[in-house]
Amino acid sequence: MNAFTYEEQELMSIYDPGTREGLIANLEEMRGYLEPDEDELRELTDSALEKLRGISDAEYEQLELMPDFED
């Protein structure tokens, strides 16, 4: 499994509905609203999507996608 970066995990925790397919759908939808100058967020989203598509639902279930609001 490709390891997700801290930034990818934080992004995924915001859009995670509880299923891998749902998370992919939410990230794809959010990506459609990005402005042309939001290259960094687009790249982060694309990287997370690529990794999510490459893992199984069982591997997704092992991810701890809890937002860290203490930072």
Side-chain angles (χ1 to χ4, degrees):
M1 172 171 74
N2 290 330
F4 291 93
T5 66
Y6 175 79
E7 291 81 8
E8 290 167 342
Q9 290 181 36
E10 288 291 301
L11 176 67
M12 293 186 309
S13 71
I14 295 168
Y15 291 95
D16 182 33
T19 67
R20 185 179 67 87
E21 290 297 325
L23 178 54
I24 289 170
N26 286 350
L27 288 175
E28 287 174 338
E29 180 180 357
M30 175 275 290
R31 190 185 185 287
Y33 293 105
L34 294 177
E35 296 295 327
D37 65 341
E38 294 180 293
D39 294 331
E40 193 171 319
L41 183 52
R42 183 175 291 102
E43 289 173 12
L44 181 64
T45 304
D46 289 347
S47 177
L49 282 167
E50 181 179 339
K51 291 176 184 179
L52 280 167
R53 290 181 181 120
I55 66 172
S56 67
D57 288 337
E59 289 171 313
Y60 162 83
E61 292 294 328
Q62 299 301 312
L63 297 175
E64 295 185 24
L65 297 178
M66 299 296 292
D68 184 4
F69 295 119
E70 295 180 21
D71 285 346

